Amino acid sequence: MISKEQNRITRLSRSVVGRTEAEAVSRVLLEDGYLGMGREVEAFENELQAFLGCPGRQVICVNSGTAALHLAVQAVTAPGDEVLVQSLTFLASFQAITAAGCVPVACEVVPGTITLDLEDAQKRLTPRTKAVMPVHYASNPGDLDGVYDFAHRHGLRVIEDAAHAFGCTYRGRKIGTFGDLVCFSFDGIKNITSGEGGAVVTGDGEAAQIIRDARLLGVQKDTEKRYAGQRSWEFEVNHQGYRYHLSNVLAAIGRVQLQRFPQEFAPRRVALAGLYRRLLSGVAGLQLLEADLDEIVPHIQPVLVLGGRRDELRTFLGGLGIETGIHYRPNHLLGLFGGGRVSLPVTERLYGELLSLPLHPALTEAEVSRICGQVSGFLGEGCKA
Ligand SMILES: *Cc1c(COP(=O)(O)O)cnc(C)c1O
């Protein structure tokens, strides 16, 4: 039961799923009855490829964005290799790197976009650096051309953490249709969801085959058999693998979400982010990140709250039933990744200023107006005092 009290909460994020997703799941449960990885997953992969519009690229679905990153890193590195990655990202980016036996090397970000600072990354190169993982923070790919130039100059593989960037373009080209290995997440609150899920998109056929096998315990060509409705009883295994395959049940949700994305989810997210930008630009004590809404479909709506007032504002909004978030706690501060042994001053400053405001396709313009009114009122008051 939803009480009136809960009703008034403006949520930071939420899944937007309904009858169509429910019907798709029922179809798998009641008509097909095969819940593992089969034809529904194959169809989702084909539809993702059609959406991207790039037949030369392979799409491999897995059961989370983290699994996509893990398998992508594992496919193109060896244990002990170093991977350059911005510290200011979701924990999953770092855990995926260590899961593959590699060492995440925490880098600074460019403050305007919170994407990888290539000058800083350059200083952290060693003979063991084998890959770089740019994170498309708040759906902005940042200087992606710069990342690929940097990678080519130093012979590095690129694993894009595009978990925020499904459906975005970079200089007019869809994320995923170019580049080395591009990883998406379809978890509950991302631009599209399959409940849980993710995908690796790549043009590297060899890496694609390793990833395709590794999602099914490393059994060679198991995907091909399953998509033909068969099972592998006699098989060969040469690589470490996992149970990372996507289920038909979840793929059915993802297929509906993909259908809804261009007409429904993308324009809603863009419109709401545009309204935030209009209403918050020029508010003293607050800074917006760079975002070209002709290219990106924002997954989150972070702003920088200056003057040490972030936590105060967060508490104030919380009291009004407006949920906010902090994306993210920098990974270099976590015990597993050095516990702050290296210092990243830009990242640490941003960590104290970042505040994510509510953003999801079911949010209304009225709610965004109310949030912005409260934010600018609160910060304006502080200025006068
Ligand atoms: C969501 C997310 C992931 C991981 O995706 P899951 O599907 O939740 O495992 C990785 N990186 C970033 C930046 C994310 O936001």
Side-chain angles (χ1 to χ4, degrees), residues 193-206:
T193 184
S194 59
E196 297 287 352
V200 183
V201 183
T202 183
D204 176 343
E206 202 179 316

Side-chain angles (χ1 to χ4, degrees), residues 113-170:
T113 52
I114 314 209
T115 52
L116 187 68
D117 179 340
L118 290 169
E119 271 178 44
D120 182 80
Q122 171 108 27
K123 292 182 211 147
R124 300 180 196 277
L125 283 166
T126 76
R128 296 205 305 190
T129 312
K130 292 290 154 51
V132 56
M133 183 185 287
V135 179
H136 305 338
Y137 184 90
S139 313
N140 191 336
D143 179 14
L144 200 49
D145 283 345
V147 169
Y148 278 99
D149 286 348
F150 173 79
H152 288 144
R153 273 203 308 284
H154 301 288
L156 309 178
R157 300 300 299 253
V158 180
I159 299 110
E160 294 179 36
D161 182 341
H164 293 189
F166 184 79
C168 301
T169 62
Y170 177 71

Side-chain angles (χ1 to χ4, degrees), residues 291-342:
D292 179 352
L293 294 177
D294 288 332
E295 295 227 89
I296 76 172
V297 178
H299 158 56
I300 53 174
Q301 179 61 57
V303 297
L304 299 175
V305 184
L306 311 177
R309 306 197 67 202
R310 194 269 314 271
D311 292 337
E312 247 180 281
L313 175 57
R314 184 167 145 76
T315 305
F316 172 72
L317 293 174
L320 298 170
I322 298 167
E323 285 184 358
T324 58
I326 299 172
H327 295 104
Y328 296 96
R329 182 160 168 78
N331 287 277
H332 75 282
L333 300 178
L334 304 175
L336 180 63
F337 309 118
R341 238 183 306 120
V342 294

Side-chain angles (χ1 to χ4, degrees), residues 127-308:
R128 296 205 305 190
T129 312
K130 292 290 154 51
V132 56
M133 183 185 287
V135 179
H136 305 338
Y137 184 90
S139 313
N140 191 336
D143 179 14
L144 200 49
D145 283 345
V147 169
Y148 278 99
D149 286 348
F150 173 79
H152 288 144
R153 273 203 308 284
H154 301 288
L156 309 178
R157 300 300 299 253
V158 180
I159 299 110
E160 294 179 36
D161 182 341
H164 293 189
F166 184 79
C168 301
T169 62
Y170 177 71
R171 304 197 168 178
R173 291 195 293 166
K174 278 206 181 96
I175 294 293
T177 60
F178 61 95
D180 197 1
L181 296 124
V182 182
C183 300
F184 294 112
S185 162
F186 306 134
D187 78 21
I189 57 164
K190 292 293 181 3
N191 281 359
I192 63 167
T193 184
S194 59
E196 297 287 352
V200 183
V201 183
T202 183
D204 176 343
E206 202 179 316
Q209 193 56 53
I210 293 171
I211 293 166
R212 209 177 280 119
D213 291 347
R215 71 177 160 176
L216 287 160
L217 292 173
V219 174
Q220 282 190 354
K221 306 252 160 111
D222 201 19
T223 291
E224 289 77 349
K225 294 214 185 73
R226 282 167 184 253
Y227 287 171
Q230 295 159 8
R231 285 287 303 274
S232 308
W233 297 111
E234 297 188 48
F235 49 76
E236 174 61 318
V237 176
N238 289 308
H239 296 281
Q240 173 67 55
Y242 305 88
R243 294 283 283 176
Y244 277 176
H245 57 283
L246 190 66
S247 135
N248 274 350
V249 179
L250 298 180
I253 299 172
R255 293 180 67 193
V256 174
Q257 289 265 307
L258 181 60
Q259 289 280 326
R260 294 176 67 179
F261 179 78
Q263 304 298 332
E264 196 181 338
F265 300 145
R268 282 307 295 155
R269 285 182 177 276
V270 169
L272 294 168
L275 185 59
Y276 268 122
R277 298 184 76 78
R278 276 198 299 288
L279 297 178
L280 293 177
S281 72
V283 170
L286 184 140
Q287 210 173 296
L288 295 165
L289 300 180
E290 292 163 28
D292 179 352
L293 294 177
D294 288 332
E295 295 227 89
I296 76 172
V297 178
H299 158 56
I300 53 174
Q301 179 61 57
V303 297
L304 299 175
V305 184
L306 311 177

